[in-house]
Amino acid sequence: CFVHAATRFQVTHDRSDISPMVRSNIEVGTQLLDLAHHHDARFVTISTAWQQYEGVPGNPMNLYAATKQAFDSVADFYRGEGLDLQRLFLFDVYGPGDTRKKLVPLLVEAARTGVPMHATSGRQLIDLTYVDDVVEAVIGCAINESPTTTVDSVLKSGTKSVRQVAEILGDVIGSPVPVI
Protein backbone atom coordinates (compact mmCIF):
# COMPACT_ATOMS: atom_id res chain seq x y z
CA CYS A 1 0.00 0.00 0.00
CA PHE A 2 1.19 3.47 -0.87
CA VAL A 3 0.03 6.33 1.37
CA HIS A 4 0.65 9.68 -0.27
CA ALA A 5 0.27 12.55 2.18
CA ALA A 6 3.14 14.78 1.06
CA THR A 7 2.32 18.19 -0.32
CA ARG A 8 3.68 21.66 -0.82
CA PHE A 9 1.12 23.96 0.76
CA GLN A 10 1.09 27.70 0.18
CA VAL A 11 -1.85 30.06 0.52
CA THR A 12 -0.31 32.47 -1.97
CA HIS A 13 2.57 32.06 -4.37
CA ASP A 14 4.95 33.98 -6.55
CA ARG A 15 6.48 32.90 -9.83
CA SER A 16 9.43 31.12 -8.17
CA ASP A 17 7.01 28.86 -6.25
CA ILE A 18 5.30 27.41 -9.33
CA SER A 19 7.84 24.73 -10.32
CA PRO A 20 8.43 23.42 -6.79
CA MET A 21 4.67 23.32 -6.14
CA VAL A 22 3.92 21.46 -9.39
CA ARG A 23 6.84 19.09 -8.78
CA SER A 24 5.72 18.33 -5.22
CA ASN A 25 1.95 18.22 -5.73
CA ILE A 26 1.70 16.61 -9.16
CA GLU A 27 4.96 15.08 -10.40
CA VAL A 28 6.08 13.20 -7.27
CA GLY A 29 2.57 11.84 -6.66
CA THR A 30 2.29 10.74 -10.29
CA GLN A 31 5.55 8.78 -9.97
CA LEU A 32 4.10 7.09 -6.85
CA LEU A 33 0.80 6.36 -8.62
CA ASP A 34 2.69 4.68 -11.45
CA LEU A 35 4.72 2.57 -9.00
CA ALA A 36 1.58 1.53 -7.12
CA HIS A 37 -0.17 0.65 -10.38
CA HIS A 38 2.72 -1.48 -11.64
CA HIS A 39 2.91 -3.33 -8.32
CA ASP A 40 -0.87 -3.84 -7.99
CA ALA A 41 -0.79 -1.95 -4.70
CA ARG A 42 -3.48 0.13 -3.05
CA PHE A 43 -2.93 3.90 -3.21
CA VAL A 44 -4.26 6.22 -0.48
CA THR A 45 -4.20 9.94 -1.16
CA ILE A 46 -5.54 13.05 0.53
CA SER A 47 -7.52 15.83 -1.14
CA THR A 48 -8.54 19.14 0.39
CA ALA A 49 -11.67 21.24 0.72
CA TRP A 50 -9.61 24.07 -0.75
CA GLN A 51 -10.24 22.36 -4.12
CA GLN A 52 -13.92 23.30 -3.78
CA TYR A 53 -13.88 26.98 -2.89
CA GLU A 54 -17.29 28.12 -1.67
CA GLY A 55 -18.45 24.49 -1.90
CA VAL A 56 -18.20 24.40 -5.69
CA PRO A 57 -16.50 21.26 -7.10
CA GLY A 58 -13.63 22.06 -9.45
CA ASN A 59 -13.29 25.61 -8.07
CA PRO A 60 -9.81 25.68 -6.47
CA MET A 61 -9.14 28.51 -4.04
CA ASN A 62 -5.50 29.04 -5.04
CA LEU A 63 -2.63 27.46 -6.98
CA TYR A 64 -2.03 24.92 -4.21
CA ALA A 65 -5.63 23.69 -4.50
CA ALA A 66 -5.41 23.71 -8.30
CA THR A 67 -2.34 21.44 -8.19
CA LYS A 68 -4.14 19.10 -5.76
CA GLN A 69 -7.11 19.05 -8.17
CA ALA A 70 -4.80 18.29 -11.09
CA PHE A 71 -3.25 15.42 -9.14
CA ASP A 72 -6.72 14.03 -8.42
CA SER A 73 -7.35 13.95 -12.18
CA VAL A 74 -4.12 12.00 -12.68
CA ALA A 75 -5.12 9.61 -9.86
CA ASP A 76 -8.51 9.13 -11.51
CA PHE A 77 -6.72 8.15 -14.73
CA TYR A 78 -4.84 5.43 -12.85
CA ARG A 79 -8.06 4.34 -11.16
CA GLY A 80 -9.47 3.84 -14.67
CA GLU A 81 -6.42 1.67 -15.40
CA GLY A 82 -7.36 -0.58 -12.45
CA LEU A 83 -5.52 1.03 -9.53
CA ASP A 84 -7.11 0.45 -6.12
CA LEU A 85 -7.48 4.12 -5.20
CA GLN A 86 -8.63 5.38 -1.81
CA ARG A 87 -9.06 9.16 -1.51
CA LEU A 88 -9.71 11.03 1.74
CA PHE A 89 -11.20 14.49 1.37
CA LEU A 90 -10.20 16.67 4.33
CA PHE A 91 -11.49 19.92 5.67
CA ASP A 92 -9.59 21.77 8.40
CA VAL A 93 -7.37 19.59 10.59
CA TYR A 94 -6.21 20.58 14.08
CA GLY A 95 -4.24 19.05 16.92
CA PRO A 96 -1.39 19.44 19.37
CA GLY A 97 1.82 20.98 18.09
CA ASP A 98 0.10 22.76 15.20
CA THR A 99 2.04 25.98 14.64
CA ARG A 100 -0.03 27.27 11.73
CA LYS A 101 -1.88 30.54 12.34
CA LYS A 102 -5.27 28.89 12.01
CA LEU A 103 -8.43 29.11 14.08
CA VAL A 104 -7.86 26.54 16.83
CA PRO A 105 -4.23 27.52 17.61
CA LEU A 106 -5.23 31.21 17.59
CA LEU A 107 -8.10 30.56 20.01
CA VAL A 108 -5.85 28.46 22.26
CA GLU A 109 -3.26 31.25 22.28
CA ALA A 110 -5.91 33.83 23.22
CA ALA A 111 -7.11 31.57 26.04
CA ARG A 112 -3.56 30.94 27.25
CA THR A 113 -2.39 34.57 27.21
CA GLY A 114 -5.67 36.33 27.97
CA VAL A 115 -4.99 38.65 25.02
CA PRO A 116 -8.25 38.95 23.07
CA MET A 117 -8.30 37.58 19.55
CA HIS A 118 -9.81 39.98 17.04
CA ALA A 119 -12.29 38.23 14.79
CA THR A 120 -15.19 38.75 12.46
CA SER A 121 -18.80 38.11 13.50
CA GLY A 122 -18.01 34.43 14.00
CA ARG A 123 -20.89 33.26 11.84
CA GLN A 124 -18.62 31.66 9.22
CA LEU A 125 -18.92 27.89 9.11
CA ILE A 126 -15.95 25.59 9.56
CA ASP A 127 -15.53 21.85 9.73
CA LEU A 128 -12.67 20.76 11.97
CA THR A 129 -11.21 17.27 12.21
CA TYR A 130 -8.83 16.21 14.95
CA VAL A 131 -5.49 14.95 13.61
CA ASP A 132 -5.82 11.55 15.36
CA ASP A 133 -9.08 10.97 13.48
CA VAL A 134 -7.29 11.69 10.21
CA VAL A 135 -4.54 9.20 11.07
CA GLU A 136 -7.15 6.59 11.98
CA ALA A 137 -8.95 7.14 8.65
CA VAL A 138 -5.71 6.87 6.65
CA ILE A 139 -4.77 3.64 8.43
CA GLY A 140 -8.29 2.31 7.86
CA CYS A 141 -8.02 2.99 4.13
CA ALA A 142 -4.57 1.42 3.98
CA ILE A 143 -5.42 -1.84 5.75
CA ASN A 144 -8.99 -2.39 4.58
CA GLU A 145 -8.95 -5.94 3.22
CA SER A 146 -11.66 -5.54 0.60
CA PRO A 147 -10.32 -4.16 -2.68
CA THR A 148 -12.19 -1.31 -4.26
CA THR A 149 -11.76 0.73 -7.38
CA THR A 150 -12.17 3.98 -5.49
CA VAL A 151 -13.35 5.35 -2.20
CA ASP A 152 -13.85 9.06 -1.87
CA SER A 153 -14.32 9.53 1.86
CA VAL A 154 -15.19 12.91 3.25
CA LEU A 155 -13.69 13.15 6.71
CA LYS A 156 -15.57 15.70 8.77
CA SER A 157 -16.60 16.14 12.34
CA GLY A 158 -19.58 18.39 11.84
CA THR A 159 -19.91 21.95 10.65
CA LYS A 160 -19.85 24.61 13.37
CA SER A 161 -19.69 28.37 13.33
CA VAL A 162 -16.42 29.98 14.39
CA ARG A 163 -18.32 31.39 17.35
CA GLN A 164 -19.45 27.88 18.38
CA VAL A 165 -15.86 26.61 18.15
CA ALA A 166 -14.72 29.39 20.51
CA GLU A 167 -17.55 28.55 22.92
CA ILE A 168 -16.73 24.82 22.86
CA LEU A 169 -13.06 25.55 23.55
CA GLY A 170 -14.08 27.81 26.43
CA ASP A 171 -16.24 25.02 27.86
CA VAL A 172 -13.35 22.55 27.58
CA ILE A 173 -10.84 24.80 29.34
CA GLY A 174 -13.35 26.10 31.88
CA SER A 175 -13.31 29.78 31.00
CA PRO A 176 -14.43 31.90 28.05
CA VAL A 177 -11.93 32.49 25.26
CA PRO A 178 -11.33 36.23 24.90
CA VAL A 179 -12.54 37.08 21.39
CA ILE A 180 -13.50 40.51 20.09
Side-chain angles (χ1 to χ4, degrees):
C1 179
F2 286 71
V3 176
H4 177 45
T7 190
R8 181 177 176 126
F9 172 79
Q10 290 180 237
V11 174
T12 61
H13 73 279
D14 61 36
R15 190 165 290 136
S16 66
D17 298 317
I18 295 171
S19 289
M21 194 178 300
V22 167
R23 197 168 25 259
S24 295
N25 296 347
I26 302 171
E27 184 180 338
V28 170
T30 302
Q31 295 289 342
L32 292 173
L33 282 164
D34 198 68
L35 280 170
H37 176 62
H38 282 87
H39 291 281
D40 293 321
R42 173 170 291 159
F43 193 91
V44 180
T45 188
I46 298 172
S47 298
T48 173
W50 289 48
Q51 293 168 230
Q52 297 185 6
Y53 183 60
E54 297 183 335
V56 178
N59 186 30
M61 181 175 189
N62 52 23
L63 182 61
Y64 158 74
T67 60
K68 294 288 285 183
Q69 186 67 43
F71 177 74
D72 278 357
S73 292
V74 174
D76 288 340
F77 162 77
Y78 279 94
R79 181 194 67 214
E81 295 292 305
L83 178 68
D84 182 359
L85 176 67
Q86 306 274 323
R87 181 183 296 128
L88 286 171
F89 188 83
L90 300 182
F91 288 81
D92 201 2
V93 178
Y94 72 98
D98 191 351
T99 59
R100 300 172 297 165
K101 297 292 183 195
K102 299 192 77 164
L103 179 63
V104 172
L106 291 171
L107 290 170
V108 168
E109 182 69 10
R112 186 183 67 74
T113 64
V115 176
M117 182 182 116
H118 292 274
T120 61
S121 70
R123 290 183 175 85
Q124 305 92 320
L125 298 178
I126 189 167
D127 198 308
L128 298 167
T129 306
Y130 190 64
V131 66
D132 288 356
D133 295 331
V134 174
V135 171
E136 186 177 313
V138 169
I139 291 170
C141 285
I143 64 173
N144 180 356
E145 293 295 324
S146 59
T148 61
T149 54
T150 187
V151 171
D152 289 330
S153 300
V154 176
L155 189 56
K156 19 185 342 183
S157 60
T159 303
K160 305 262 186 276
S161 71
V162 170
R163 186 175 292 199
Q164 288 173 306
V165 172
E167 289 169 359
I168 291 167
L169 181 60
D171 290 345
V172 168
I173 63 174
S175 64
V177 178
V179 179
I180 297 173

